[in-house]
Amino acid sequence: AGAGKTGATPPYTSVVTVTPLDLTGKTLNQNLFFGVAPSQSSATVSVTLTSPTTLTFVSNVANTDFTFIGTYI
């Protein structure tokens, strides 16, 4: 679980490092799942696994605060 805030300039990203957690071999929506809750009602936030220890969140709205929780199997 964690939180972040996307940037003020497009593409409105936020990079979150999850070290010491290592997600090697995990695939989003197969054995790695995230729930993301943006603070703005008009915002959507998606997540990509950009390295075994880094997540990148992208919003359609600038400066979006969000919380997330991840589960892996």
Side-chain angles (χ1 to χ4, degrees):
K5 182 174 187 171
T6 60
T9 57
Y12 313 129
T13 61
S14 176
V15 177
V16 176
T17 302
V18 293
T19 303
L21 187 62
D22 185 343
L23 299 173
T24 299
K26 301 300 180 194
T27 303
L28 283 171
N29 301 320
Q30 290 183 8
N31 54 11
L32 176 62
F33 306 92
F34 282 93
V36 182
S39 61
Q40 291 92 324
S41 62
S42 62
T44 60
V45 178
S46 62
V47 60
T48 57
L49 182 61
T50 46
S51 83
T53 58
T54 306
L55 305 168
T56 299
F57 294 86
V58 180
S59 177
N60 64 326
V61 178
N63 299 315
T64 301
D65 292 306
F66 62 91
T67 57
F68 66 92
I69 188 165
T71 303
Y72 63 90
I73 53 176

